[in-house]
Structures are given as structure tokens and as C-alpha cells.
Amino acid sequence: MSSASPWQFCHGDALLTNVLLAPSGPVLVDWEQAGWYLPGYDLALLWSVMAGDTGARRQLSQIAQATGTLGRDAFLVNLILVLMREIRLHDVPGAGEEQRILIRRLHEDAALARRAVRAAVGTR
């Protein structure tokens, strides 16, 4: 990784099960996966699990874009990697209907992420 895109300390497991709502706002717990990741890893992970909430996904994408071109690009790389990992983990032979629906959604999300990467590359 070049010095132009520094590593970022991330939670590493920013799933909804690791978020508590405190009076001051959301708080992440269970930091055993914390470490140095590409910027936007936690945002990409959260984006991937917020399938039914387009508003939350939009906000997460806007946060990534607000960090600038490098932050946006790192978020998109992380998003593709997270989605590909999820597809590999869940696309198994003999999957039931619920599993097939999940796989179809993951493939649709990956196609959306690929279009976002193409759009980002086209803006340079």
C-alpha cells in the first residue's frame, strides 16, 4: 500500500450485532477483530449487511465519498472484497430457497458495486 492511501484502524467486525444504542448514540462493542485495514472497511461491511435499508446504505456511501477520492476508492475495493467473500461463503451446493435469495441479493449488490467502480474510474 502506498503512503497516498494509509491504513486505517477499524473495528473489523462492524456488524449490527456489535452495535449498542447508548444515550450518546451508537457504540461498537466486541473489538477482537480490530486492526489496520484499508480505509472504509467498516463502512463496507455495514453497507453489505444493510440490504433492506437503502437510506442507511446511501448514508454510508455518502460518508465514504465525503472522505475524498482515496477514501471512496478504498471503500469500493473493500465493498467488492466483502461481497465476494460473502458470495463464496454462502454459495454452496444444495442451498435452500432462503439461501438462493441471499445469493441472488449478494450478486445484485456485487453488480451495483462493480458499476460504482466503473463510474469512479470514469471520473478520473
Side-chain angles (χ1 to χ4, degrees):
M1 164 108 7
S2 74
S3 61
S5 182
W7 293 94
Q8 181 182 62
F9 191 77
C10 294
H11 182 274
D13 196 20
L15 301 173
L16 297 179
T17 54
N18 289 331
V19 177
L20 294 178
L21 293 178
S24 60
V27 177
L28 287 166
V29 297
D30 185 14
W31 286 79
E32 68 184 36
Q33 300 296 321
W36 296 97
Y37 295 82
L38 278 176
Y41 179 77
D42 286 340
L43 292 176
L45 193 55
L46 279 170
W47 190 98
S48 73
V49 299
M50 301 299 287
D53 192 338
T54 56
R57 280 184 162 187
R58 188 176 311 110
Q59 285 182 311
L60 292 166
S61 296
Q62 289 170 346
I63 291 168
Q65 290 176 26
T67 62
T69 303
L70 288 175
R72 179 205 61 207
D73 292 353
F75 166 76
L76 290 172
V77 167
N78 281 312
L79 185 56
I80 293 281
L81 292 172
V82 165
L83 291 169
M84 292 301 107
R85 180 188 68 204
E86 291 301 306
I87 289 169
R88 272 195 329 274
L89 289 173
H90 296 288
D91 196 1
V92 294
E97 181 62 23
E98 188 174 313
Q99 190 82 358
R100 285 192 297 272
I101 291 169
L102 171 65
I103 294 303
R104 188 174 21 247
R105 180 190 57 79
L106 288 168
H107 279 286
E108 290 168 359
D109 287 348
L112 177 68
R114 283 191 297 274
R115 285 191 300 274
V117 167
R118 285 187 198 110
V121 170
T123 61
R124 293 187 185 174

